[in-house]
Amino acid sequence: MSDRIRLGLRVEGVVQGVGFRPFVYSLATGLGLAGLVGNDVDGVFAEVEGDAEAVSKFLMLLKPQAPPLATIEHVSTRRLAPTGAAGFVIAPSLPGGQRQRRTLVPADSATCADCLRELADPANRRYRYPFINCTNCGPRFTIVRDVPYDRPLTTMSGFVLCAACATEYHDPADRRFHAQPVCCPDCGPALVLTSADGTVLASRPDADPVAAAAGLLRSGAVLAVKGLGGYHLVVHAGNEAAAAALRARKHREDKPFALMVPDLATARLLCEADETADRLLASPRRPIVLLLRRPAADGLVAAAVAPGNRQLGLMLPYTPLHHLLLEAVASPVVATSGNVSDEPIAYTDTEALQRLARIADAFLVHDRAIHIRTDDSVVRASGGRESVVRRSRGYVPEALAVSPDLPRPVLACGAELKNTFCLAEGSRAVVSHHIGDLENAETLRSFTDGIEHFRRLLDITPELVAHDLHPEYLSTKYAAGLAGVDLLGVQHHHAHIASCLADNGAAGPVIGVAFDGTGYGTDETIWGGEFLIADLAGFERAGWLAPVPMPGGTAAIRQPWRMAAAYLAAAFPGRLPAELAVRERNEGRWAAVLAMAQRGVNAPLTSSAGRLFDAVAALLGVRDVINYEGQAAIELEQLADPAEPGRYPAAIAEAPPQDPTGIGPAAGQRPASGPALLVSGSDLVRAAAEDLSAGVPAQVIAARFHRGMADTIVTVCRQLRDRTGLGVVALSGGVFQNLLLTDQVVSGLAANGFGVLLHSQVPCNDGGISLGQAVIAGARDREAR
Ligand SMILES: [Zn+2]
Ligand SMILES: [Zn+2]
């Protein structure tokens, strides 16, 4: 016993509420070690004592064998004097007092295999209980009201544990040891099916609400179902009338509905799913996965589910209630956010009854409150590559690592559309759940309440607040109203590139290609087709799409045919082609809109790549008016024939000298270090219009436009590399959700010897902006010191 040692350990990360203490207990006792383990505000503390070999084995196994939901960020150790005491105990949690809380609340996690087995076992006391969970699965972030993560501070606080549940909860050897949401039919939440006016239609023990709900779905009803982060509206996926009714009542014209499917086999039947897709579908995060639909889907999925779309968004059940419901319906169901058109998803019972009563025929609800509204996450899988489109339930509030460390705590307020905010401190950045478009009071409240909630959970008091340059954004106004903080304006596309850098653990400088719909520029034009030389602290605007007018301002975003008129005017100065279907379709207002574009009246200039895609989509007759953001571009991508090798050229010229108007050093814009490049988007439009007049099929034109765009991006990057010597390109902005374009740009850049940075952890769309703002704020803060 000469080499007996005692080691004190501190473990930081996601280590509470995930079964970490029982894991340490069994690992230590299995190795014959004595000591203790407990929770405090910093995470988990432990002391282990035994012979040196066993202690080092303990340290070696701590990370690789940790429970599935745990994330160990940091382990520190120190030598202690051996006490000679035998046995291993779980110590009571230490209160935090005024000390900083460093422990993290876990994300919500899909029902685990052990719980599913019990759910289906008639001998188990939780047989068919819709709220079964354990330390390895269940609700977390959505039920936490405050930290430390303990039952009294969750929405389970009102449910008093029965004797059987209490025994499990207190037994270190049990899978439910300190599982905060643990419950059973005797002591936990109960499910009930009601009509839209609140009348109970089915409840235990008289009737099974799940069976009754499934019956309603099969007969074509629209059901509101209370899920993990909010209400879903659910219909039978194969019922054309039900899907159409849901669309009409939700005022949602074309935007695809997501589907929940019973299992992976059904997912593979409906869609092309490779290994990456399978892994994403079955992961404990359970996102909606966007996949190419297979012909077999036609017979099983109503046309109204995803009209004119070659993709379907699929997810697997992620709560016990979903599992029971899908099993009872025995078919895919539509499971879309419980809201009316652009409102945020309903998550409280009163709100759901008020807002959804005119949409849903019946409500499948329960009495476990959702503390924070959290939408389903959305990911894409293509060619083994995974990209997050909407990062929310199952991902949030997981921290992202940033480096170097931020000098001061930062709040980044994000963008206007697809808003997220970000709280960051030290080496850790936490990007919020999806807030939505900050355009109404309801969403704004979600934003401000969300920031307060995260500040409490993370115990971060921001000293530096980053915001967009747009003075009219609600997020900008919110930042301006904060007292006692330093404000920092960040240009939108710089934030995109910085977000991509942070997503890759990189700091630049790089050539950044930021292509999206709209962003406030520093020269009084609307930017969106930008080539930047950027690092985290600043950027140089090195190239952009030649600006064109947006006739009617924001009306041109909703009506892509207006952009077609503007681009055609630029492509054919003085003499538009005689026969243009887009003009014929919009004859009534064509002349007026064309005049607006030509005279520059009520027509702000934009270099937006999104508007160029819109123009081509309208020109080809894909879509003159959109019903949701990005619709025309999405449909243009789907129209393009990927096998078509042709491409259109676009001229790249030297831009006139820039005059960044006085937004000042806050914008981080650096003076030009060489001639900037101006890309002629109207060249692409002219070639497309000429092909159209010559009778070339729209599928071919769409493909040639994509390849032309990709070639042009690669050429601009080559010219910028020649000038600057930079060999790495970061691609960001919502346009890169277009996988056809992205694949062509990536292979073109790779063939030319570039390193390419793409997003993986946060969206390339505006949902990723807040992370970029946060790291920019940190970098400027560092420079200023
Ligand atoms: Zn479980
Ligand atoms: Zn119980």
Side-chain angles (χ1 to χ4, degrees), residues 46 158 181 215 235 253 259 310 327 509 659 669 695:
V235 296
E253 288 168 55
L259 296 177
R310 276 165 42 191
E327 183 194 84
D659 178 26
Q669 186 174 3

Side-chain angles (χ1 to χ4, degrees), residues 8-25 36-47 58 62 72 74-76 102-104:
L9 284 96
R10 166 148 298 294
V11 188
E12 289 172 21
V14 182
V15 288
Q16 291 187 5
V18 292
F20 201 79
R21 286 172 301 166
F23 153 69
V24 170
Y25 174 90
L36 56 89
V37 61
N39 277 348
D40 65 12
V41 284
D42 291 327
V44 162
F45 62 89
E47 294 180 11
F58 173 87
L62 192 66
I72 299 180
H74 186 71
V75 181
S76 59
R102 296 207 166 272
T103 182
L104 301 174

Side-chain angles (χ1 to χ4, degrees), residues 199-273:
T199 312
V200 174
L201 301 176
S203 70
R204 295 262 185 201
D206 308 329
D208 179 2
V210 171
L216 287 178
L217 287 175
R218 276 193 301 268
S219 68
V222 176
L223 211 63
V225 178
K226 189 174 179 181
L228 210 46
Y231 276 75
H232 277 140
L233 288 163
V234 176
V235 296
H236 192 289
N239 189 319
E240 198 67 67
L246 176 58
R247 221 166 246 299
R249 294 183 205 171
K250 237 174 102 79
H251 302 299
R252 180 146 153 167
E253 288 168 55
D254 299 311
K255 200 171 180 180
F257 288 142
L259 296 177
M260 188 176 276
V261 297
D263 45 38
L264 270 182
T266 311
R268 290 198 202 102
L269 182 68
L270 299 181
C271 288
E272 305 286 348

Side-chain angles (χ1 to χ4, degrees), residues 125 162 165 183-184 187:
R125 68 192 189 88
C162 70
C165 285
C183 57
C184 74
C187 66

